[in-house]
Amino acid sequence: MEQGVIVKGIGGTYDVETESGVVPCILRGRLRLRDDRVLVGDKVEISREPGGEAGVVERILPRINELTRPAIANVNQVAVVFSVKNPPPNYLLLDRILVQAELLDLSCVVVFTKGDLDPAGALDMANKYAAISYPTVITSVIKSEGLDELRELLKGKISTLAGPSGAGKSSLLNALDPALNLETGKVSAKAQRGRHTTRSVELLSLGDGYVADTPGFSRLSMGTDQERDLQFAFPEFRPHIDACQFRGCLHRREPGCQVKEAVKTGEILPRRYEHYLILLEEAAPRY
Ligand SMILES: Nc1nc2c(ncn2[C@@H]2O[C@H](COP(=O)(O)OP(=O)(O)OP(=O)(O)O)[C@@H](O)[C@H]2O)c(=O)[nH]1
Ligand SMILES: [Zn+2]
């Protein structure tokens, strides 16, 4: 039995990438009856006639996880992509995406694109996120910088790209692999098309890994049951949480709060703490 990964699914046909290329497949009958959908990212076993072009998905292998927005199985990490300039990064959105990924137990890497537009600024931004423990890369497709580093981070994994339109995601993917030949630059034209057609999720094959360039993460707001978990979605808070005077401290106005203390000493970036408070407010239960 051949194994592969579902990279695309449209109208009952699934493209399965195998060692011998992409094989269009239909589902074995009993899979069609299952409640849980087959997802892009699923590792599957397929059968096909000797020499056959098309195949049949026989079995879905166990998933390590499944995301709903975007709907992808077996995601290893989220690559958060923001440009250094044009447009400048919206840090609240950046931190919001990191938090959503942390709450889903996904690893994150942070990519600052268009590094050529402000090399010093880029370094400053990257250092701040690297200090939090995130693998961080500065890229420039114009100067061909950071591409090998990023390839290394994406290698052998299924990554979803998350970041605002215009951050340069398509340009970056093309630079990583020109064969992808993605449309770039015409921001307004692309935005318009986006409004009229719902783009289906697709995994792009990159080296021996996959990336999905899909909207989703940035749209999420906090769930009202996440108030208590939120603090753990800030990795730099974790060493301080247990040292707070009160068990159950949410690091707002509580006395003896060691998270706030770490903000004062500069161990925690004030901006990150402000974003924590904003997201905490969103996550507060409403009665
Ligand atoms: N100076 C500079 N400009 C870049 C770089 N990468 C992309 N750009 C420019 O940024 C603009 C947006 O790039 P795209 O790749 O289309 O952005 P995108 O994130 O894919 O946008 P959406 O597909 O709308 O999400 C284009 O005008 C690119 O030429 C870079 O490394 N340096
Ligand atoms: Zn505290």
Side-chain angles (χ1 to χ4, degrees):
M1 199 86 78
E2 270 180 297
Q3 282 201 4
V5 173
I6 295 186
V7 292
K8 194 175 174 178
I10 288 178
T13 304
Y14 295 84
D15 283 353
V16 178
E17 182 154 321
T18 69
E19 276 184 355
S20 54
V22 174
V23 182
C25 292
I26 56 164
L27 301 182
R28 179 63 68 202
R30 72 192 133 73
L31 288 179
R32 267 179 264 146
L33 298 176
R34 279 168 41 146
D35 286 347
D36 50 342
R37 286 182 306 149
V38 177
L39 294 175
V40 162
D42 267 326
K43 292 193 169 64
V44 295
E45 285 178 354
I46 67 167
S47 62
R48 56 175 161 164
E49 303 290 318
E53 305 253 297
V56 176
V57 176
E58 300 286 349
R59 194 162 88 89
I60 299 168
L61 302 181
R63 293 172 181 158
I64 58 165
N65 62 26
E66 84 190 53
L67 302 190
T68 45
R69 280 198 302 174
I72 310 178
N74 300 318
V75 170
N76 299 108
Q77 68 185 1
V78 178
V80 186
V81 183
F82 279 77
S83 49
V84 166
K85 229 177 140 176
N86 294 353
N90 173 339
Y91 289 109
L92 177 57
L93 180 58
L94 197 166
D95 287 339
R96 183 187 292 279
I97 295 171
L98 288 175
V99 161
Q100 298 295 351
E102 292 279 351
L103 290 171
L104 291 167
D105 249 334
L106 296 169
S107 309
C108 299
V109 303
V110 180
V111 183
F112 287 109
T113 60
K114 311 190 192 182
D116 55 281
L117 297 179
D118 181 5
L123 202 57
D124 181 51
M125 294 170 198
N127 284 342
K128 289 194 164 97
Y129 283 90
I132 298 170
S133 76
Y134 292 115
T136 303
V137 192
I138 301 167
T139 63
S140 165
V141 301
I142 290 184
K143 294 193 162 178
S144 285
E145 280 170 358
L147 301 178
D148 286 339
E149 257 175 285
L150 183 55
R151 268 192 212 99
E152 195 59 34
L153 290 174
L154 301 176
K155 207 165 93 182
K157 295 184 171 147
I158 296 183
S159 309
T160 65
L161 301 191
S165 179
K169 296 184 293 298
S170 306
S171 305
L172 188 57
L173 290 172
N174 283 340
L176 291 171
D177 181 0
L180 290 173
N181 200 16
L182 302 171
E183 188 187 354
T184 63
K186 298 173 217 127
V187 171
S188 59
K190 278 195 285 184
Q192 238 157 10
R193 188 191 60 202
R195 253 187 279 135
H196 298 300
T197 60
T198 38
R199 258 200 300 163
S200 62
V201 184
E202 183 179 353
L203 289 187
L204 305 171
S205 179
L206 199 73
D208 62 348
Y210 296 94
V211 294
D213 178 9
T214 52
F217 274 97
S218 37
R219 310 254 171 90
L220 296 174
S221 52
M222 296 296 301
T224 51
D225 52 349
Q226 294 174 316
E227 190 179 42
R228 206 133 278 291
D229 295 337
L230 183 64
Q231 57 193 318
F232 299 103
F234 286 76
E236 73 272 44
F237 286 18
R238 289 176 203 153
H240 307 286
I241 288 168
D242 280 343
C244 289
Q245 185 178 335
F246 293 104
R247 275 197 63 207
C249 183
L250 284 179
H251 328 300
R252 277 181 293 211
R253 288 169 291 272
E254 298 90 335
C257 174
Q258 294 309 303
V259 169
K260 278 192 292 178
E261 195 55 36
V263 176
K264 267 190 218 145
T265 63
E267 272 178 274
I268 291 174
L269 207 65
R271 192 182 64 217
R272 290 272 294 171
Y273 177 66
E274 283 158 28
H275 293 169
Y276 167 75
L277 291 178
I278 290 170
L279 296 174
L280 187 66
E281 189 66 31
E282 275 183 31
R286 290 178 185 82
Y287 298 105

